Amino acid sequence: MPKLVNDIETAAAEIEELRTVSSAPTTEARTLERALGTQIRLLRRRQDLSVSDLATAASISLGMLSKIENGQISPSLTTVQSLANALSVPISSLFESVEERQDCSFVPAGRGVHIERRGTKAGHNYQLLGHLSRGDVVVEPYLITLDERATPHTSFSHSGVELIHMLEGDLKYRHGSETFHLKPGDTMMFDSGAQHGPEELVQLPMRYLSIIIYPRNHS
């Protein structure tokens, strides 16, 4: 029995380590309940209804509605239906804010969208690997290929941060006043407000992953 307990504790520790490998904040508990409550409160206020008005119309207690709006309980489907009827909205509209969090993008190999950007005419091929339409930040993942026509281009500059991971070839990449020699497996991350770009194309063809991140209100 002690060995079994130790194995369980070890497994639990490994799971906890996986959960905390990123410094990103965890999602709040009762995410669904909080999202549902927030949406109900929003719809109620849009219709200029008090908590008492909606509770009476939905035939539920004032205390229960207050707990629902604060995400403290999981209401039954019957209660949710009653609230939707009282608000004169389809039941699906109460879960709209939950659905907005489920944005996802999948791009099969070789099917990324080709994008025209500065440097494209100089043999720099940009393939967009994914796109999300919601969220606080914009993330643009590109697979960049430099072919035989490629020429150095070190005057790129834009808001946000950028991560480059070298996949193939040999490249000297300038960022501000510094130059970095990138070979397959190398990664650099930098403030993309400073001028940057390929300074010396040592070995062609070359491919690298470029991920650009910036606040959505700058898009």
Side-chain angles (χ1 to χ4, degrees), residues 196-214:
H196 58 276
E199 182 176 61
E200 183 179 345
L201 314 181
V202 181
Q203 180 183 343
L204 291 169
M206 62 183 63
R207 293 186 310 143
Y208 57 89
L209 181 66
S210 168
I211 302 176
I212 301 171
I213 305 170
Y214 55 92

Side-chain angles (χ1 to χ4, degrees), residues 28-42:
E28 295 182 356
R30 290 187 175 273
T31 299
L32 176 61
E33 290 86 347
R34 289 180 184 277
L36 176 63
T38 299
Q39 185 70 2
I40 290 171
R41 183 187 299 113
L42 176 64

Side-chain angles (χ1 to χ4, degrees), residues 20 139 183:
T20 58
V139 179
K183 296 181 179 180

Side-chain angles (χ1 to χ4, degrees), residues 44 49-57 60-63 65-66 69:
R44 174 177 63 78
L49 296 173
S50 68
V51 177
S52 178
D53 291 336
L54 181 55
T56 300
I60 61 176
S61 70
L62 189 65
L65 179 55
S66 179
E69 287 195 355

Side-chain angles (χ1 to χ4, degrees), residues 6 8 24 36 47 64-67 87 122 136 149 165 173 187 190 214 218:
N6 290 336
I8 293 174
L36 176 63
Q47 298 183 31
M64 176 178 285
L65 179 55
S66 179
K67 289 181 178 180
L87 291 165
D136 298 330
R149 300 176 299 119
H165 180 73
Y173 199 93
T187 304
F190 51 85
Y214 55 92
H218 285 186

Side-chain angles (χ1 to χ4, degrees), residues 172-190:
K172 290 187 178 179
Y173 199 93
R174 173 170 286 272
H175 175 257
S177 60
E178 295 186 81
T179 299
F180 300 86
H181 194 170
L182 302 180
K183 296 181 179 180
D186 291 343
T187 304
M188 64 182 293
M189 185 173 181
F190 51 85

